[in-house]
Amino acid sequence: MRVCKKCHVEILDETSVCPLCNSVLEVSGQEEWHNGYPDVKAVSKKLGFVVRLYSFLAIIIEASLIIINYLTYRGIWWSAISGITILYFFITLKYSLQKNNGYKSVILVQLIGGVLLVIAADNIVGYQGWSVNYVLPSAILLLNATIGILMIVNMSNWQSYLLLQIFTVLLSGGCVLLWRFGVITSPVLTLTALAVSLCMILGTLIFGERRAKTELKRRFHV
């Protein structure tokens, strides 16, 4: 057991200096100490093992599914859908959990990954357009609802979500362009998503006044 006589803490990992005061640690045979300092590497090691185990099992399972799909092929490569799904959950483990990224970036990555997964599935089973006509604008509406809830919950720092609101407006505008180019054929949800995105950011700018303007200046250095 390593202990810091200055901070009166017990250090459980293998470091030789105190992470609080950088003093050299001493080895002690005492079973108890005043305060315990957690092993900061333990959680990371466990998550790393989970990711490696998942990767190992995912490769075996996907290889088996590809073989089964090949032997029973009936015009659809459904194993590609399973592969994309496995990849999505790998990204969830690796990016969202193991790296412990901020919840805002996690929300975006999970949402974008889910939409791309659905679009890929739509193309694999024979493109019908439901992924871009309904799923994509619905995801934008879901993102708007999530932002609204987060702003209410975190009222003291609501202006920090302004960048996400700008992103939803740009994403909604991109969907409108897809409609104009004929990719999206049913524009009702797309136009609804654009209207909701614009209303949310307009309301934030009007009611936020100085705090909203300060946030924009801080983000874009204007």
Side-chain angles (χ1 to χ4, degrees), residues 33 38 52 55 61 64 78 85 114 130 147 156 165 168 179 183 201:
W33 197 253
R52 290 191 295 272
S55 302
I61 293 172
S64 302
W78 50 264
T85 304
W130 52 268
I147 294 171
S156 61
Q165 289 182 316
T168 59
W179 171 46
V183 178
I201 194 169

Side-chain angles (χ1 to χ4, degrees), residues 12 16-17 20 22 30 37 44 51 54 68 79 85 102-103 107 127 136 155-156 162 192 195 199 209:
L12 301 180
S16 60
V17 296
L20 301 178
N22 292 322
Q30 295 178 356
Y37 185 81
S44 179
V51 171
Y54 178 86
I68 295 173
S79 59
T85 304
Y103 67 92
I107 290 173
Y127 183 73
L136 181 55
M155 287 291 290
S156 61
L162 189 57
T192 302
C199 287
E209 296 182 342

Side-chain angles (χ1 to χ4, degrees), residues 118-189:
V118 173
I119 292 175
D122 188 10
N123 281 272
I124 291 170
V125 299
Y127 183 73
Q128 299 295 324
W130 52 268
S131 57
V132 292
N133 281 317
Y134 306 109
V135 176
L136 181 55
S138 295
I140 297 173
L141 289 172
L142 177 61
L143 181 57
N144 276 312
T146 303
I147 294 171
I149 294 172
L150 290 174
M151 290 178 72
I152 294 173
V153 172
N154 192 15
M155 287 291 290
S156 61
N157 195 32
W158 58 263
Q159 71 277 4
S160 64
Y161 301 99
L162 189 57
L163 198 61
L164 277 177
Q165 289 182 316
I166 294 174
F167 176 77
T168 59
V169 171
L170 294 176
L171 196 58
S172 301
C175 289
V176 172
L177 289 178
L178 291 178
W179 171 46
R180 298 301 297 174
F181 285 107
V183 178
I184 291 178
T185 55
S186 181
V188 176
L189 275 177

Side-chain angles (χ1 to χ4, degrees), residues 99-119:
K99 290 189 176 181
N100 194 27
N101 290 288
Y103 67 92
K104 294 178 187 177
S105 59
V106 168
I107 290 173
L108 286 179
V109 169
Q110 294 296 120
L111 189 68
I112 293 173
V115 170
L116 292 178
L117 170 61
V118 173
I119 292 175

Side-chain angles (χ1 to χ4, degrees), residues 53-66 86:
L53 178 62
Y54 178 86
S55 302
F56 173 73
L57 294 175
I59 292 173
I60 294 176
I61 293 172
E62 180 59 20
S64 302
L65 292 176
I66 291 174
I86 289 172

